Amino acid sequence: VQLQACGGGLVQAGGSLRLSCAASGRSFSRNGMGWFRQAPGKEREFVAARSWSGATYYSDSVGGRFTISRDNAKNTLYLHMNSLKPEDAAVYYCAASLGVVAGRRTRYTYWGQGTQVTVSS
């Protein structure tokens, strides 16, 4: 099982990016999935999650700017990031749970390798 995250890059503050996380080896259409990020010198933090039911959860710092979505036919999770700020710069990781629910405190079993997002001011 692999989660392959991509879509990161350099963007100016106020810009947008879309991250993708393609899963292979099994389907996650009935599982919760999420996004986390880690900035240099900081702990990994929760960003967003989407349960199998379609329920979504966001950290306070990205709510209203980021949108998590998934395409089950493509077995791919997305993170649409708008109005990016310099403090959003980090390595972003996607993760998948073996359960149907996903949230801040969910136990995620599978992790992608991360994709770098850099935001210039």
Side-chain angles (χ1 to χ4, degrees), residues 1-43:
V1 176
Q2 281 193 329
L3 299 179
Q4 185 73 33
C6 65
L10 172 64
V11 64
Q12 287 189 331
S16 300
L17 280 175
R18 186 186 76 166
L19 305 183
S20 300
C21 174
S24 61
R26 62 160 285 175
S27 171
F28 289 101
S29 62
R30 294 182 178 272
N31 299 99
M33 299 186 73
W35 288 96
F36 289 74
R37 68 187 181 187
Q38 187 168 20
K42 295 186 177 181
E43 292 186 353

Side-chain angles (χ1 to χ4, degrees), residues 27-85:
S27 171
F28 289 101
S29 62
R30 294 182 178 272
N31 299 99
M33 299 186 73
W35 288 96
F36 289 74
R37 68 187 181 187
Q38 187 168 20
K42 295 186 177 181
E43 292 186 353
R44 185 173 61 192
E45 65 173 353
F46 169 80
V47 175
R50 182 181 174 95
S51 294
W52 170 66
S53 65
T56 56
Y57 311 89
Y58 298 94
S59 69
D60 291 342
S61 61
V62 307
R65 299 187 297 121
F66 291 11
T67 302
I68 187 171
S69 65
R70 63 194 297 169
D71 184 333
N72 288 332
K74 296 181 178 179
N75 211 18
T76 300
L77 181 75
Y78 300 99
L79 185 67
H80 306 259
M81 305 186 295
N82 297 318
S83 303
L84 282 161
K85 304 175 181 180

